Structures are given as structure tokens and as C-alpha cells.
């Protein structure tokens, strides 16, 4: 089935013959399953049905007899595969997969994470308008697949406490994951004190958020109370 066989050789009685070092080749092809079948020459056999190599190319032949040598091939079948790619945006990575033609595959069960968001599902479109797939679902289509993580943002409530002061405070708001909120410059008042920031503890030891700057805390549910942070003014 190959091409490029060596020319026939003549063996002289009693004289060792060095077989040709020329190696034939055999064309690869794609079978009905889409797999690539390729051939590598191994050597020569004395029977067309044999898979055992009797003589290598360039070997010596000492028998005083005519002989026909048949190519022995190593057959390699490379199954057609399809790539499954997971796109998580700002989330943690999920390793890609490779699906073999004609077989089903279980999609990755790895759940990506992202600060401020909960993973919801996979979708074939980044805006979520395509086909949905759950982690660990079965995929059987013979085609490449790119899946985009669909995220549900965390939300929590933020309230303000005058912490012994009086006057106006910013309006309460809902913080959505991934969206910073600029804190209002509105602050309460207190005799001999000035408020220029808010803290997560009434005694001022918590995290500080400055008026007019971004509130970037991320948490899934609940309420955060921000307390006016008071500093004495010069009297």
C-alpha cells in the first residue's frame, strides 16, 4: 500500500547482500469518523500478512535464495478533537478541555470565583443570551465550544450612623458587586469636633471610608453600618 519502494536487488551466491536503506512511505487519510490514520515504516517481513519485522532497511541478507519482502507499517490513528474553552473574565481560571469526535464529555465541574460575584452558569454568549450549560453538564456536539461565565453580583445595604452627632447624613444605599459607590460629602456635625470620614466601628477602629471617596467593600448580603468618625477641632 505504500510508494517509493527500493529497486529490486540481485544477491550473488555466497556473497552477503546489504539491503537497500531506502524506506517507502504511505499516505495518511481521514476515516469515516474524522480521525486521521497515518503510517510509519517499520521494516520488512517475508509475508504480506506478517506484522513482525524480519529485516530492517539497510540490514544484511545472507540466504542463497530469492525472496520477496513486504513493508510492515505502524498504524497511528489520531482521533479528531474539539476544544472547549472557558472564559471567566475577572474570575479565576477554569482549564480548557478536549472532546473527541463521536463521544460525549462531561463539562468541567470547577466553579470559578470572583470577588463581588457568585457564579451562576455557563453560556455560549458573553451577555448570557446564548445556550446555557451548568458545570458538570454533558456536551456531545462535535464542534468547538466557548463558554462564558455568567455572574450574579453580590449586594448589601449600607447605612449611616451619626455616632453622637446631629444634622444630615448621606442616604442609605445598596452596594452592588463590582460597582464602587462614591460616598456623599454630606457629614453630620458635633460641637468641637469635625467629621471627615466614616468607619465600620463606632469607636473609630474599623475600616475608614473618606467622604467624597469610593466605598468599595464587597460582601454577599447583610448590612454595613458606617459610623461618623469624629476628631477634635482646635478650640
Amino acid at each position: 500500500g505504500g510508494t517509493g519502494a527500493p529497486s529490486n536487488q540481485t544477491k550473488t551466491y555466497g556473497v552477503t547482500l546489504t539491503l537497500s536503506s531506502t524506506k517507502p512511505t504511505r499516505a495518511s487519510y481521514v476515516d469515516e469518523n474524522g480521525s486521521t490514520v497515518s503510517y510509519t515504516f517499520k521494516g520488512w517481513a517475508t509475508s504480506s500478512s506478517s506484522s513482525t519485522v524480519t529485516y530492517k532497511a539497510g540490514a544484511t541478507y545472507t540466504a542463497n535464495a530469492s525472496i520477496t519482502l513486504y513493508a510492515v507499517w505502524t498504524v497511528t490513528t489520531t482521533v479528531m478533537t474539539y476544544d472547549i474553552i472557558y472564559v471567566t473574565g475577572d474570575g479565576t481560571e477554569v482549564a480548557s478541555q478536549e472532546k473527541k469526535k463521536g463521544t460525549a464529555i462531561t463539562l468541567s465541574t470547577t466553579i470559578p470565583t470572583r470577588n463581588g460575584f457568585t457564579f451562576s452558569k455557563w453560556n455560549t454568549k458573553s451577555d448570557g443570551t446564548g445556550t446555557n450549560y451548568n458545570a458538570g453538564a454533558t456536551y456531545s456536539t462535535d464542534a468547538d465550544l466557548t463558554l462564558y461565565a455568567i455572574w450574579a453580583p453580590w449586594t448589601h445595604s449600607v447605612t449611616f450612623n451619626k455616632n453622637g452627632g446631629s444634622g444630615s447624613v448621606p442616604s442609605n444605599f445598596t452596594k452592588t458587586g463590582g460597582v464602587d459607590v462614591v460616598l456623599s460629602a454630606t457629614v453630620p456635625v458635633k460641637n468641637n469636633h469635625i467629621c471627615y470620614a466614616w468607619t465600620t466601628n463606632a469607636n473609630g477602629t474599623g475600616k475608614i471610608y473618606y467622604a467624597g471617596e469610593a466605598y468599595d467593600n464587597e460582601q454577599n448580603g447583610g448590612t454595613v453600618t458606617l459610623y461618623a468618625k469624629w476628631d477634635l477641632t482646635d478650640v
Side-chain angles (χ1 to χ4, degrees), residues 166-188:
S166 62
S168 299
V169 294
S171 299
N172 299 338
F173 63 87
T174 298
K175 171 68 170 63
T176 301
V179 180
D180 293 347
V181 177
V182 176
L183 295 180
S184 169
T186 300
V187 292

Side-chain angles (χ1 to χ4, degrees), residues 22-137:
T22 298
K23 297 179 180 179
T25 58
R26 187 171 177 180
S28 60
Y29 70 95
V30 177
D31 67 13
E32 66 277 7
N33 295 317
S35 300
T36 300
V37 181
S38 57
Y39 299 89
T40 302
F41 175 75
K42 290 177 62 177
W44 302 101
T46 56
S47 167
S48 61
S49 61
S50 177
S51 60
T52 301
V53 172
T54 305
Y55 296 100
K56 295 283 190 178
T60 57
Y61 179 68
T62 58
N64 292 312
S66 297
I67 191 171
T68 299
L69 298 178
Y70 300 87
V72 178
W73 303 99
T74 297
V75 183
T76 303
T77 301
T78 304
V79 178
M80 187 173 183
T81 59
Y82 303 93
D83 293 325
I84 300 174
I85 306 297
Y86 299 91
V87 181
T88 61
D90 294 330
T92 55
E93 292 186 1
V94 175
S96 60
Q97 294 177 281
E98 193 174 74
K99 178 194 174 301
K100 293 182 179 180
K101 182 178 176 66
T103 63
I105 189 172
T106 299
L107 298 179
S108 176
T109 56
T110 299
I111 303 299
T113 59
R114 179 183 176 187
N115 189 38
F117 297 83
T118 299
F119 173 77
S120 175
K121 58 194 172 185
W122 297 104
N123 193 275
T124 54
K125 293 186 177 180
S126 59
D127 62 0
T129 61
T131 302
N132 292 325
Y133 288 92
N134 293 322

